[in-house]
Amino acid sequence: MSNPYAGLTDYLAFHRVETNYQQRTENRLDISKLRSAHNLLKESTFTPKLPEKGYCHRGLYININTLEVKEQPVTQEMKDIFIGGRGFGLWQLWHAVTPSTKWNDPENEIVISPGPLSGITQYPGSGKSIVVSISPQTDIPIDSNVGGYFGPLLKFSGYDFLEIQGKSEKEIIIFIDGQKGIIKIEECPLEPLDSHILAEVLTEMYAEGEGDRTNISVVSAGSAADNSLIGMLNFSWFDKRRGCIRLKQAGRGGIGTVFRDKRIKAIVIRGPEVKGDHNHPVDFETIAKTGIKLHKELRALDPSQCVMRRNGTAHIVEIMDAYDLLPVHNFQYGSHPETHKIASYIWDLRCTQRTSDGCWYGCSMSCAKGADGLTLRTGPYKGDVVTVDGPEYENAAGLGSNAGIFDAEAVLELNFYCDTYGICTITWGTICAFVMECYQRGILNKERTGGLELTWGNWTADLELMHQMARGEGFGKIVGLGVHKMKHIFAERGWGDPKLLDDIGMENKGLEYSQYLSKESLAQQGGYAMTNKGPQHDEAWLIFMDMVNKQLPTFEDKAEALYYFPLWRTWFGLNGWCKLPWNDVSPKDNHLRHEPHKIPEHVENYLAMHGAMLGTHITVEDMLNQSARVYNFQRIFNIRMGKGLRIHDRAPYRSMGPVSKEEYTSREDRYDQQIRDEMGQDPAKMSLEERMALHRTWRTDRYEKLTDAVYKRRGWTSNGVPTIDRIKELGIDFPEVLDVVKPLLS
């Protein structure tokens, strides 16, 4: 396919590091032409203001159908119960939709909220915000965390959340000028959709001078979000050192698809120049001292611990491989002899090390790595030289090993096109692994894929499938529906056994699994399938505690971990934090502390900063209760929308154990030993089929027992419904909340 924006990419040449930004954008006539085609649909004014104690006490509501723009109050009750971030997003969404609302109904919303501690420049990892919507994939609320500058700049312009509702009849850009106090909704017919061009064009268009570019952040999707259910959102920031735009992603659940269904091309914020005291905390000195302590830890200890400052999260690729946890060939296997080709030392060499790579001011963890100078080999931007933001571990594993692709440049190209097209990389990795296994097992063939040979490792076919999806063509249109819907389509067409498709289709609640092999970690099986939004590791990553370190021997131990860690990680999403500085570096004496897996000194840091920001002291128990209110509210929200019960927490068997004979024989000694030790039987007296059937019974029974233990610890019924006592204890016993659960408790 020819590139319809060749004239733009000639001079923008996104991320062309050898070319100066000013030289890339010196052709002002093209930018002017795009700008002159804009049609102002609505202009409003507001009074910019900075937060006090982390809150602005107001949100911004925009209806893009009626063009209504108004401010929403942030009440004390909202702050006490829902805190910010995910909590504010869920609360606003709850009041916007009904139980029958579908993802593409006008009343569905996109809510972006940064949280009261977001935007701190003294402590690493404080640039996060949460995006909430009804998901096209799951039909329930999805929350997706994202870095970049948008969330903090929104708050420093004067708003604790941005709430967008309605559908536009025209392609629009929403522009929020937090310096001048102007909000514009503009028709924008000419700008391209793909994020790597659009973000750079709009940064140049709305910045007032070279020094203003760092005050601009663009939210956009991409062409694939128009033609699939798996679209994601890119949040931009201007990288002064590279002289180009960088992107971070709100990836999960198809929020980018909602964005494009509303015909939003971009949201642009122009915030004030950021200063260290913009949040106006009660005790700035404590925040500064706590941050200095962690900065020192990172500089001293990161080189000997997780090496985040050089490799980002991709440092664990070979570690996962060594422990049989790296997803290979659709989660069939946990390691591969070619893993070294996409291991951390490759990314150490491939990513630019001469520059700091934080995605918000002051983040000395600097894990937002960038691989400069990639020449694209396929697609509409073939021949362009680009920078790729990543790869993260999830991208290296999902786009790489899970599809049998061990070509680093191919992984980078897949990563780039996922980003610019607006595709969740985790979702795409699991989707492609599923269709490749279907091809392996004869469920798919060249006739059914339109000529694509979707064999393991065929990265050119993988990319062509992605390009098809971006164009809305061919087999790519089916793939863009996601694993859950593909399973039903393939079964209805008689292409495969429905039971096998259910076993190997790695999705729960309609959301694809993220990239860790959970077969030997019962706690992680629960950490995936018992999530509120679907199987995403940001709620509970317990594999090492459970499988490697053997710290969770009983069902009760696992249930306690599946109580604490989802609530602790929820707290990050309420306040605007990235979780990586919590546990990807740890103090020297951490091993001497009680419950070292919780990194207690860092937990104390966060509680201290919360108190320093708001002026109120909280304990760990208070923190857990803050999160439990939102966590249980989201569970009830799921029930209101038609999910959220025990049946929806069931896991595909591939996540629990060996589906195929090949899987079993690849670990035959381990599985046979488990029959002896755990099941008290002699595998030598059984056929392979009998041993596999015995494992299935044992493993599914363990999962059901774990489910019982987790529900009991969370204060839920055996069907997964929060009890009235638990709801009242948490203070979320609003009449409309009780109305949802009472019919299920009678």
Side-chain angles (χ1 to χ4, degrees), residues 444-716:
L444 294 175
N445 53 41
K446 285 180 70 174
E447 180 183 355
R448 292 169 180 173
T449 64
L452 292 176
E453 292 189 83
L454 293 168
T455 53
W456 300 116
N458 190 345
W459 61 266
T460 56
D462 191 336
L463 276 161
E464 177 53 31
L465 190 63
M466 190 186 300
H467 298 321
Q468 283 187 9
M469 187 174 68
R471 299 192 300 263
E473 298 174 1
F475 190 59
K477 291 183 68 173
I478 295 176
V479 167
L481 298 175
V483 169
H484 179 77
K485 290 181 172 60
M486 277 195 289
K487 290 191 305 183
H488 293 287
I489 290 171
F490 295 172
E492 288 169 359
R493 295 182 179 183
W495 291 358
D497 175 14
K499 185 175 182 301
L500 175 62
L501 289 166
D502 279 340
D503 280 348
I504 68 174
M506 290 292 283
E507 59 87 14
N508 163 267
K509 302 179 179 71
L511 189 70
E512 284 76 13
Y513 271 64
S514 64
Q515 308 299 326
Y516 296 96
L517 197 74
S518 60
K519 286 183 173 68
E520 299 308 316
S521 174
L522 179 60
Q524 188 58 46
Q525 293 166 28
Y528 272 139
M530 294 182 206
T531 53
N532 275 323
K533 64 186 171 188
Q536 171 70 358
H537 60 284
D538 68 347
E539 185 168 306
W541 192 82
L542 302 173
I543 283 180
F544 260 62
M545 285 180 63
D546 188 34
M547 173 185 160
V548 178
N549 298 328
K550 311 296 184 185
Q551 293 169 302
L552 306 173
T554 69
F555 286 112
E556 290 71 24
D557 292 328
K558 297 180 203 305
E560 183 60 36
L562 285 167
Y563 176 79
Y564 175 87
F565 285 103
L567 295 184
W568 172 232
R569 286 167 174 253
T570 292
W571 199 75
F572 286 100
L574 301 181
N575 285 283
W577 293 109
C578 170
K579 78 93 187 166
L580 296 178
W582 157 56
N583 69 341
D584 281 274
V585 64
S586 57
K588 275 186 177 180
D589 63 351
N590 185 65
H591 64 288
L592 302 175
R593 298 288 300 269
H594 177 60
E595 298 183 311
H597 52 282
K598 295 181 178 178
I599 323 292
E601 182 178 318
H602 289 178
V603 175
E604 293 160 8
N605 288 350
Y606 289 110
L607 297 181
M609 286 189 294
H610 184 276
M613 179 63 70
L614 277 69
T616 55
H617 172 73
I618 65 169
T619 65
V620 171
E621 191 62 28
D622 294 329
M623 174 272 292
L624 292 175
N625 283 330
Q626 286 182 348
S627 294
R629 293 184 189 106
V630 175
Y631 194 87
N632 281 266
F633 178 77
Q634 187 168 358
R635 181 74 174 192
I636 295 165
F637 202 158
N638 286 356
I639 295 170
R640 182 190 185 209
M641 302 307 293
K643 293 187 180 179
L645 303 177
R646 188 181 187 115
I647 191 173
H648 305 113
D649 288 345
R650 290 178 178 167
Y653 185 62
R654 172 59 60 72
S655 73
M656 297 181 186
V659 173
S660 66
K661 294 179 180 179
E662 303 98 316
E663 283 175 85
Y664 194 102
T665 55
S666 72
R667 308 176 182 90
E668 190 166 16
D669 290 344
R670 177 197 299 171
Y671 291 146
D672 284 355
Q673 193 63 44
Q674 288 171 341
I675 291 175
R676 296 185 193 96
D677 296 345
E678 304 291 342
M679 302 169 228
Q681 299 192 44
D682 184 1
K685 297 179 180 179
M686 302 176 188
S687 66
L688 177 57
E689 290 79 3
E690 288 171 331
R691 285 178 282 162
M692 290 176 63
L694 187 61
H695 262 276
R696 183 183 285 260
T697 299
W698 175 64
R699 288 168 182 267
T700 54
D701 181 64
R702 287 195 315 161
Y703 183 79
E704 293 302 320
K705 290 177 179 175
L706 176 67
T707 304
D708 288 334
V710 171
Y711 286 0
K712 180 180 179 181
R713 179 64 183 92
R714 291 179 178 176
W716 297 354

Side-chain angles (χ1 to χ4, degrees), residues 42-107:
K42 177 68 177 280
E43 180 171 328
S44 300
T45 61
F46 69 100
T47 303
K49 68 174 184 177
L50 292 172
E52 291 292 334
K53 301 180 184 179
Y55 287 104
C56 299
H57 299 100
R58 64 183 185 180
L60 176 61
Y61 170 87
I62 300 175
N63 189 307
I64 57 175
N65 178 37
T66 65
L67 301 181
E68 180 184 15
V69 177
K70 65 180 180 179
E71 293 183 352
Q72 302 273 50
V74 171
T75 65
Q76 190 62 45
E77 181 183 55
M78 283 178 65
K79 294 193 297 180
D80 290 343
I81 295 178
F82 295 101
I83 311 300
R86 191 204 300 188
F88 281 6
L90 290 168
W91 183 237
Q92 297 305 118
L93 186 65
W94 172 280
H95 291 289
V97 302
T98 71
S100 62
T101 298
K102 304 303 180 186
W103 71 269
N104 56 353
D105 287 338
E107 62 263 31

Side-chain angles (χ1 to χ4, degrees), residues 254-497:
I255 302 175
T257 298
V258 179
F259 190 86
R260 288 299 304 136
D261 181 70
K262 292 181 178 297
R263 301 196 72 181
I264 304 171
K265 193 169 282 186
I267 307 170
V268 183
I269 188 125
R270 178 176 181 246
E273 185 177 347
V274 175
K275 297 181 180 178
D277 64 349
H278 269 3
N279 268 301
H280 291 136
V282 171
D283 181 1
F284 182 82
E285 184 178 356
T286 292
I287 289 175
K289 286 182 177 179
T290 307
I292 289 170
K293 181 172 63 172
L294 187 62
H295 290 314
K296 289 180 178 178
E297 276 183 20
L298 278 165
R299 285 194 296 270
L301 302 176
D302 179 63
S304 61
Q305 292 186 10
C306 291
V307 204
M308 297 290 285
R309 289 158 65 90
R310 291 193 66 86
N311 299 327
T313 60
H315 78 275
I316 62 173
V317 171
E318 62 268 34
I319 297 172
M320 295 299 103
D321 185 87
Y323 284 102
D324 198 34
L325 295 171
L326 183 73
V328 175
H329 293 180
N330 195 30
F331 300 90
Q332 294 183 72
Y333 313 110
S335 62
H336 195 278
E338 294 186 78
T339 296
H340 64 278
K341 295 180 180 179
I342 58 168
S344 64
Y345 83 94
I346 296 293
W347 308 122
D348 187 283
L349 294 171
R350 192 64 185 79
C351 293
T352 302
Q353 302 294 349
R354 66 178 182 269
T355 183
S356 177
D357 270 324
C359 69
W360 176 241
Y361 295 102
C363 186
S364 52
M365 178 156 274
S366 299
C367 68
K369 308 313 296 179
D372 294 312
L374 175 72
T375 301
L376 298 174
R377 295 180 280 181
T378 72
Y381 306 107
K382 182 178 180 179
D384 280 8
V385 180
V386 299
T387 284
V388 182
D389 284 288
E392 302 281 358
Y393 163 76
E394 295 285 338
N395 303 347
L399 304 176
S401 61
N402 211 11
I405 295 171
F406 297 94
D407 180 319
E409 298 296 291
V411 170
L412 287 174
E413 184 154 345
L414 286 159
N415 197 156
F416 169 82
Y417 273 114
C418 276
D419 288 351
T420 196
Y421 283 159
I423 306 169
C424 173
T425 51
I426 293 173
T427 301
W428 183 258
T430 301
I431 284 174
C432 282
F434 171 71
V435 297
M436 285 179 173
E437 183 172 359
C438 287
Y439 201 93
Q440 170 196 342
R441 302 195 181 283
I443 297 167
L444 294 175
N445 53 41
K446 285 180 70 174
E447 180 183 355
R448 292 169 180 173
T449 64
L452 292 176
E453 292 189 83
L454 293 168
T455 53
W456 300 116
N458 190 345
W459 61 266
T460 56
D462 191 336
L463 276 161
E464 177 53 31
L465 190 63
M466 190 186 300
H467 298 321
Q468 283 187 9
M469 187 174 68
R471 299 192 300 263
E473 298 174 1
F475 190 59
K477 291 183 68 173
I478 295 176
V479 167
L481 298 175
V483 169
H484 179 77
K485 290 181 172 60
M486 277 195 289
K487 290 191 305 183
H488 293 287
I489 290 171
F490 295 172
E492 288 169 359
R493 295 182 179 183
W495 291 358
D497 175 14

